[in-house]
Amino acid sequence: MADLERQKKAHGLFKRYEGNPILTTKDWSYAVNAVFNPAAVKINAETLLLIRTEDMRGFSHLTVARSTDGLTNWKIDEAPTFEANQNSREERWGVEDPRIVWLEEQKQFAVTYVSFSEGGPVVSLAITKNFKTFARLGALLPPEDKDACLLPRRFKGRFALIHRPIVRGEAHMWISFSPDLKHWGDHRPLIMTRSAYWDCHRVGLGCQPVETEQGWLIFYHGVRITTAGAIYRVGIALLDLAEPWKVLRRSDEWVLGPQTLYERVGDAGDVVFPSGAIVRKETNELFLYYGAADCTVAVARAGLDEVMDYVMSCPEGEW
Ligand code: BMA
């Protein structure tokens, strides 16, 4: 019975913004095929999204869009903001799916993204102060790797990276450590796929980790492959604040899955792919930005207290 109540709570936790999708290809001043999987960060009064934009060749670059309320009146860069570096072999097929964190120590934003080429997808890092100029730090770990984000500070002297290598065709989330953002090691499995569940075939980090008093709030995508194709849904986990390699809680059920037409139909139907989270302090609301069906950008909102109550009611333990 307790489980059923929790499942009901999970189902009603996030409300889709009625103006969804908030960004589509029509908003771009140049011809593009799809705009999706946005990283999100709040800079003073402004919400900044760094959006994966797929061009008419099928290659992606990243584009900045800014808004005061995080919902409407987006100002979109009129040319690609961050393009693949054609001198970097690993970026020959474009750059995809960014995540952003503010690194207090560096006083800069760290952008992790996927560099794509015939060598396979790898996770790369760029640093920026203003989202106009970027310092590229290159690929962090060997392919095949995706869905990565740094945590915003060091743990016992080391930076931590959550990422999703593919090993033996399996896709689990890992955490790795580095003294200098360049050399990575001490790799540990973090969140694994679960047989038979909605997240049985793949899991990958969604948004940047959200710091709360109870721990790092993690949104991740979980995939089940059905006879009709893959379904991408969203789960929640909580990592220990001081030792983020420890999983404190993990939702049994998903909290958001494809339901609306813009989530069910697109270049990749039945995909809800969260990649940016913002907490609006004035209302204590959490805005979850996601790519819908690999075509548009959408947002769902929840009270942060309700999300924390829910995650604290989820099963304990490490996976
Ligand atoms: C993943 C990534 C995402 C994409 C998702 C659904 O593997 O490549 O960019 O949104 O698949 O197609």
Side-chain angles (χ1 to χ4, degrees):
M1 188 59 188
D3 278 3
L4 288 182
E5 272 167 29
R6 204 194 53 237
Q7 284 170 27
K8 194 170 158 202
K9 214 197 265 184
H11 191 72
L13 207 52
F14 280 92
K15 305 264 183 292
R16 290 169 177 81
Y17 172 56
E18 56 279 10
N20 273 351
I22 54 170
L23 289 162
T24 73
T25 56
K26 293 196 187 75
D27 301 310
W28 263 239
S29 62
Y30 52 102
V32 297
N33 175 57
V35 298
F36 56 118
N37 301 0
V41 71
K42 190 104 184 295
I43 308 178
N44 302 321
E46 211 169 53
T47 294
L48 180 146
L49 300 184
L50 185 63
I51 299 153
R52 172 172 172 192
T53 304
E54 192 185 79
D55 68 21
M56 302 303 283
R57 303 168 304 166
F59 294 171
S60 294
H61 59 266
L62 310 179
T63 309
V64 160
R66 296 179 164 87
S67 153
T68 307
D69 63 7
L71 300 167
T72 59
N73 293 320
W74 293 94
K75 290 185 186 52
I76 303 162
D77 283 2
E78 287 182 0
T81 312
F82 185 89
E83 286 188 282
N85 177 0
Q86 289 307 322
N87 297 323
S88 297
R89 185 104 200 254
E90 76 276 9
E91 296 195 355
R92 281 202 344 195
W93 292 354
V95 291
E96 305 180 353
D97 299 356
R99 274 82 171 180
I100 303 169
V101 287
W102 170 252
L103 290 181
E104 187 56 38
E105 188 184 313
Q106 268 76 2
K107 302 269 184 287
Q108 299 219 43
F109 295 98
V111 182
T112 37
Y113 61 96
V114 173
S115 299
F116 203 25
S117 73
E118 59 271 60
V122 286
V123 169
S124 297
L125 175 63
I127 302 280
T128 184
K129 277 197 168 82
N130 50 21
F131 291 92
K132 290 189 169 75
T133 53
F134 297 82
R136 291 171 187 262
L137 278 68
L140 304 184
L141 287 160
E144 195 175 329
D145 204 5
K146 280 187 174 188
D147 303 320
C149 192
L150 290 170
L151 279 95
R153 58 170 176 270
R154 293 177 190 257
F155 300 87
K156 300 197 167 88
R158 299 182 304 173
F159 291 102
L161 179 81
I162 298 174
H163 59 118
R164 205 286 307 277
I166 303 250
V167 182
R168 296 188 314 239
E170 291 174 34
H172 311 287
M173 290 163 65
W174 287 64
I175 188 165
S176 301
F177 300 88
S178 170
D180 57 6
L181 294 176
K182 188 150 186 64
H183 302 93
W184 293 89
D186 195 10
H187 314 293
R188 304 180 197 188
L190 184 69
I191 292 175
M192 320 297 283
T193 57
R194 291 181 292 199
S195 299
Y197 274 74
W198 60 275
D199 51 4
C200 56
H201 286 114
R202 285 161 179 250
V203 290
L205 183 72
C207 312
Q208 75 274 38
V210 177
E211 186 169 3
T212 73
E213 276 172 23
Q214 289 100 322
W216 298 100
L217 186 60
I218 298 290
F219 293 93
Y220 71 93
H221 61 260
V223 181
R224 167 180 267 165
I225 298 167
T226 74
T227 46
I231 307 177
Y232 279 68
R233 301 183 175 107
V234 186
I236 306 192
L238 191 71
L239 309 182
D240 188 89
L241 209 50
E243 301 184 327
W245 48 93
K246 292 185 179 159
V247 181
L248 304 178
R249 308 271 173 173
R250 177 175 177 182
S251 62
D252 255 356
E253 52 278 326
W254 67 88
V255 296
L256 197 69
Q259 273 182 0
T260 63
L261 198 61
Y262 56 87
E263 293 161 352
R264 301 219 57 189
V265 178
D267 280 0
D270 284 327
V271 172
V272 167
F273 196 91
S275 36
I278 284 186
V279 175
R280 295 197 71 100
K281 295 227 170 63
E282 56 284 14
T283 53
N284 205 29
E285 262 182 309
L286 195 144
F287 282 26
L288 191 73
Y289 292 93
Y290 61 96
D294 283 9
C295 271
T296 61
V297 174
V299 61
R301 296 176 288 180
L304 184 59
D305 292 343
E306 285 77 57
V307 174
M308 292 316 295
D309 281 355
Y310 165 73
V311 80
M312 294 308 289
S313 74
C314 289
E316 282 182 50
E318 290 190 30
W319 281 265

